[in-house]
Amino acid sequence: MPSPTGLIDRVARIVAATPVLDIHTHLYDPSFGSLLLRGIDDLLVYHYLVSESFRRSDVPEERFWSATKTEQADLIWDALFVRHSPVSEACRGVLTVLDAFGLSPKQGDLKALRQWFAGQKPADHIERVMALANVRGIGMTNSPFDDEERPFWDAGVARDPRFFAALRIDPLLVAWKQTVPQLRAWGYDVAPGLGQRSADEVRRFLADWTRRIGARYCMVSLPPGFAYPADTETAWLIEHAVLPHCRDHGQPFALMMGVKRAVNPALRMAGDGMGRSDLSALQALCAAHPGNRFLVTCLSRESQHELVVLARKFRTLHPFGCWWFTNTPQLIEEITTMRLELLGTSFTPQHSDARVLDQLVYKWSHSREILARCLAERYTALEASGWPVTDAEIQRDVYEMLGGAFERFCAG
Ligand code: RAT
Ligand code: ZN
């Protein structure tokens, strides 16, 4: 009889060796030039670390924001790595990356690290990171409303097939009135008061962008107060434009639920918070629209159990990822175990949400380690119940969880 240690090693080996399709990141195809962030300074000014550093320094927010990126990185390095032990998940992530590249941050200083990253040519750097993180594909977040990104689409970009597009539409759904003038300027005949003409025009807008960028799915992040059915612009637009669009194009609608934007605006992107979502809204969406498929992740720990139970009721609902504030080892372990125990392997346990290329290395090595542990525990239980698990079965399951299930879900 194989020992549980043997099983844990087998699972860990297979999880490490299986390439992942990363279904949601904020990385860009290299054709988008400087929008693809990489290197030590971008790693350090990651907004997860910015918010942690403000707890450890008395630098006024305005002074921090008026500093150069290098100066900001110096401040963060000093506050979080030099003056205190970098034990938080986001801090440890930087160290995992440096370690994977064979760099020793304790011996070198930031200058030496900067020099090393400056020597990485973009194409080689991407190859190297994708190989280290064992990533086979990268899902981007593509917003027509992003003034830095849109010019690249307007000019036409030669696409890198390793990066796939996802259409992100937050302003359309959460700030309709402010978005109307922009849509009208682009030639879509929409009106603040909505109505059939606006619904048709929003669908035309979504269809144009879906084709233009080759989006695989359409995505929004929603505040805790999101309600459905409801007499709101958000609910109306979802029902009359987004869901019909997704049906027309055979695509899932991805909902990221529970973000409270700008809880502390002085922290800029680091100032967003979270709250519990009302998942009866999601239940009503799934029940009322059986012809749609929903990819869903929730930001609050409290929403996770309800999400999993809902997924048992609706096969059109695919939970994914341990998002943002739940992307910490303890919560990943809890959420992944709960999902395995209630859904088997029919979900996508993680996405990286990487904003900096190098983060793929740590986000995936940390998550893989936990996924392997959670899976090994379930397989150990199976073996104890008289079901020996083969390598082929483990490989099948892991492939499914690292992107295979998502691909099938998208295909419908
Ligand atoms: O995790 C993050 O980086 C957040 O800032 C958000 O971008 C979030 O992932 C989102 O997609 O809204
Ligand atoms: Zn994201």
Side-chain angles (χ1 to χ4, degrees):
M1 180 137 174
S3 70
T5 328
L7 184 57
I8 292 164
D9 290 347
R10 273 163 62 210
V11 177
R13 224 181 327 103
I14 291 169
V15 170
T18 307
V20 63
L21 180 71
D22 194 342
I23 76 170
H24 170 65
T25 77
H26 297 265
L27 300 176
Y28 287 92
D29 171 324
S31 313
F32 290 77
S34 60
L35 293 193
L36 174 60
L37 305 179
R38 55 197 191 92
I40 187 65
D41 287 335
D42 282 311
L43 280 169
L44 288 171
V45 301
Y46 185 32
H47 69 89
Y48 291 25
L49 291 177
V50 169
S51 60
E52 289 173 31
S53 75
F54 275 121
R55 299 185 54 72
R56 292 301 201 175
S57 94
D58 44 22
V59 174
E61 285 90 345
E62 321 80 69
R63 214 180 94 211
F64 179 85
W65 294 118
S66 62
T68 64
K69 191 198 283 184
T70 313
E71 288 162 352
Q72 290 174 355
D74 284 339
L75 286 168
I76 292 176
W77 179 257
D78 182 58
L80 296 181
F81 293 79
V82 177
R83 286 193 283 116
H84 303 93
S85 290
V87 295
S88 78
E89 176 63 8
C91 282
R92 185 192 160 214
V94 176
L95 303 179
T96 303
V97 171
L98 298 177
D99 191 52
F101 286 137
L103 303 168
S104 1
K106 275 216 158 167
Q107 278 139 41
D109 51 13
L110 271 188
K111 228 157 116 199
L113 297 175
R114 283 182 180 124
Q115 249 163 28
W116 187 88
F117 279 100
Q120 303 298 303
K121 293 204 185 76
D124 300 341
H125 196 175
I126 294 170
E127 285 282 349
R128 187 165 191 180
V129 166
M130 287 185 77
L132 273 173
N134 199 8
V135 171
R136 69 180 162 99
I138 297 173
M140 300 185 282
T141 296
N142 304 106
S143 171
F145 303 101
D146 183 324
D147 293 334
E148 288 187 22
E149 175 178 349
R150 200 179 49 258
F152 286 92
W153 295 111
D154 289 343
V157 277
R159 296 286 299 279
D160 181 323
R162 295 170 296 182
F163 292 73
F164 72 86
L167 180 61
R168 183 72 178 247
I169 54 168
D170 290 24
L172 183 75
L173 292 184
V174 301
W176 170 248
K177 294 240 163 52
Q178 295 90 299
T179 305
V180 165
Q182 177 75 86
L183 289 174
R184 292 187 65 82
W186 288 332
Y188 298 96
D189 182 22
V190 293
L194 292 165
Q196 191 54 48
R197 176 77 183 152
S198 291
D200 293 344
E201 286 294 274
V202 170
R203 283 173 71 172
R204 188 164 70 83
F205 165 76
L206 295 172
D208 287 349
W209 274 93
T210 296
R211 280 192 217 103
R212 186 169 197 195
I213 70 177
R216 272 209 194 173
Y217 61 83
C218 174
M219 179 181 239
V220 69
S221 70
L222 292 168
F226 168 65
Y228 182 89
D231 185 16
T232 60
E233 286 152 352
T234 307
W236 196 93
L237 282 159
I238 289 178
E239 175 150 348
H240 295 91
V242 177
L243 295 181
H245 162 79
C246 289
R247 290 194 294 272
D248 284 353
H249 291 259
Q251 293 197 344
F253 180 36
L255 295 98
M256 306 182 88
M257 304 182 73
V259 59
K260 269 191 204 162
R261 298 289 176 193
V263 165
N264 183 355
L267 266 55
R268 301 200 182 170
M269 199 198 278
D272 296 341
M274 54 157 287
R276 292 180 202 189
S277 299
D278 177 5
L279 289 206
S280 61
L282 181 60
Q283 178 185 324
L285 273 176
C286 293
H289 303 283
N292 281 94
R293 279 165 283 130
F294 301 91
L295 280 163
V296 179
T297 196
C298 290
L299 200 45
S300 87
R301 181 188 195 176
E302 290 74 12
S303 301
Q304 303 302 328
H305 193 215
E306 218 176 333
L307 174 62
V308 170
V309 174
L310 263 186
R312 290 173 66 87
K313 308 300 141 192
F314 296 99
R315 63 182 158 187
T316 51
L317 170 54
H318 186 93
F320 77 94
C322 296
W323 178 29
W324 199 347
F325 308 117
T326 60
N327 192 351
T328 58
Q330 182 213 3
L331 292 180
I332 299 171
E333 184 144 358
E334 174 180 300
I335 294 166
T336 305
T337 299
M338 186 191 332
R339 288 171 174 174
L340 282 169
E341 290 177 354
L342 281 161
L343 299 174
T345 60
S346 65
F347 64 98
T348 299
Q350 193 57 302
H351 63 274
S352 77
D353 237 312
R355 284 179 180 270
V356 181
L357 176 69
D358 309 278
Q359 289 172 338
L360 289 174
V361 173
Y362 95 78
K363 300 253 188 188
W364 283 112
S365 83
H366 292 191
S367 286
R368 273 194 168 95
E369 194 184 309
I370 302 163
L371 175 61
R373 217 164 43 234
C374 298
L375 268 175
E377 195 187 298
R378 299 312 303 152
Y379 292 138
T380 304
L382 289 190
E383 296 210 330
S385 299
W387 181 277
V389 182
T390 66
D391 277 7
E393 286 167 335
I394 301 173
Q395 272 154 2
R396 174 199 58 196
D397 295 349
V398 173
Y399 187 81
E400 162 121 347
M401 300 179 84
L402 292 183
F406 162 81
E407 286 175 306
R408 259 187 304 110
F409 187 75
C410 286

